[in-house]
Amino acid sequence: MVSPLVVIKTFVKMIFEKEFWQRVFLSFGKITTGFFLGVISGSFFGSISCKSKIAYALITPINQIIKSTPIASFIILILFWIKSENISVIISFLIVFPLFYSNIREGIENTDIKMLQMAQIYDFSFKNKFLYIYLPSVMPYFISACSMGLGMCWKAGIAAEVIATPKNSIGDALYRSKINLDTPYLFAWTMVIIIISVFFEKLFIKTIQKINCKFYHMEDGND
């Protein structure tokens, strides 16, 4: 074990090294790519499965398999087919997809039936149904999935990098710290992961909330 002061000194030393920023940007880019792919595909298939029984029958078992399979098994299996450089993208995607698939489905299914009946009576367009009925209903579930998914995809993505050790990644730095028994660097890199994960989560959720508030404020002003 090392003291917090030693860890902080090591962290400060690291941030002035070129290699540090190469590792941060590489891992950040890979993991956030997997996150956004999971957000888009999970939201899309979650919406489709609410409207189509065939889609539900096809996608839900796959979603259950993804949720139930240990991440370590996925990492090892995927390494048979893809290069280690892309492992964190796939693992982050697999972590995020089930969250958004389930949450978007739940948000749509819990939409107020009376509001939908009113929309049918007044012949709302699809656009107005989506903006004023479905979107407000789904948004809390979407934000909840973001909050859970961001932290989980960072942990799983870094774990995948530790196992696959892609060159110039944070996971590779953690693994090297471990085999070299370099405890200060191990704790310093762990602190970096926590800082990036928390910062990106807060920034992303606040951005979504601000966009949502500004959008409805503009719509109300237009009305």
Side-chain angles (χ1 to χ4, degrees):
M1 294 295 291
V2 292
S3 70
L5 182 60
V6 173
V7 175
I8 292 170
K9 286 181 178 179
T10 304
F11 171 76
V12 172
K13 179 184 175 183
M14 285 167 49
I15 63 176
F16 290 103
E17 298 173 352
K18 182 180 178 181
E19 183 185 0
F20 170 83
W21 294 106
Q22 288 177 337
R23 292 182 184 277
V24 167
F25 286 128
L26 178 71
S27 294
F28 181 83
K30 299 285 186 182
I31 293 172
T32 53
T33 297
F35 171 76
F36 285 116
L37 288 174
V39 171
I40 294 167
S41 57
S43 300
F44 174 76
F45 286 110
S47 302
I48 294 297
S49 66
C50 283
K51 301 298 180 183
S52 169
K53 291 182 179 179
I54 296 174
Y56 176 79
L58 290 172
I59 301 167
T60 299
I62 296 172
N63 186 61
Q64 290 296 327
I65 291 170
I66 294 172
K67 286 169 63 177
S68 303
T69 305
I71 291 301
S73 298
F74 268 131
I75 295 169
I76 295 168
L77 288 169
I78 291 167
L79 282 173
F80 282 110
W81 298 300
I82 69 168
K83 294 180 179 180
S84 62
E85 287 80 5
N86 298 316
I87 188 71
S88 55
V89 177
I90 305 299
I91 295 302
S92 298
F93 165 80
L94 291 173
I95 285 291
V96 172
F97 177 87
L99 288 172
F100 281 86
Y101 176 80
S102 301
N103 277 36
I104 296 301
R105 269 189 56 83
E106 189 175 355
I108 293 173
E109 289 175 347
N110 288 333
T111 302
D112 191 342
I113 189 66
K114 293 181 180 179
M115 293 291 289
L116 293 173
Q117 291 171 347
M118 179 201 70
Q120 187 173 8
I121 292 170
Y122 288 99
D123 195 24
F124 273 33
S125 65
F126 173 79
K127 175 186 173 183
N128 286 336
K129 278 184 183 179
F130 174 77
L131 292 178
Y132 298 110
I133 299 177
Y134 284 113
L135 195 58
S137 175
V138 170
M139 188 55 67
Y141 296 90
F142 181 84
I143 292 174
S144 175
C146 287
S147 182
M148 291 187 291
L150 282 165
M152 291 174 65
C153 80
W154 266 97
K155 288 189 288 187
I158 296 297
E161 289 183 349
V162 171
I163 293 174
T165 60
K167 188 177 179 181
N168 294 326
S169 67
I170 292 177
D172 178 55
L174 282 172
Y175 182 75
R176 290 176 183 275
S177 300
K178 177 254 183 184
I179 61 175
N180 293 325
L181 301 177
D182 195 343
T183 312
Y185 270 90
L186 182 62
F187 277 97
W189 275 113
T190 303
M191 187 169 70
V192 170
I193 296 164
I194 294 169
I195 291 170
I196 295 173
S197 176
V198 171
F199 177 77
F200 184 62
E201 177 185 338
K202 300 298 183 185
L203 178 64
F204 185 78
I205 290 176
K206 283 186 178 180
T207 301
I208 292 293
Q209 290 173 335
K210 284 184 178 180
I211 292 172
N212 189 47
C213 290
K214 285 184 178 179
F215 174 80
Y216 284 107
H217 179 73
M218 288 172 62
E219 289 292 324
D220 290 342
N222 292 334
D223 291 344

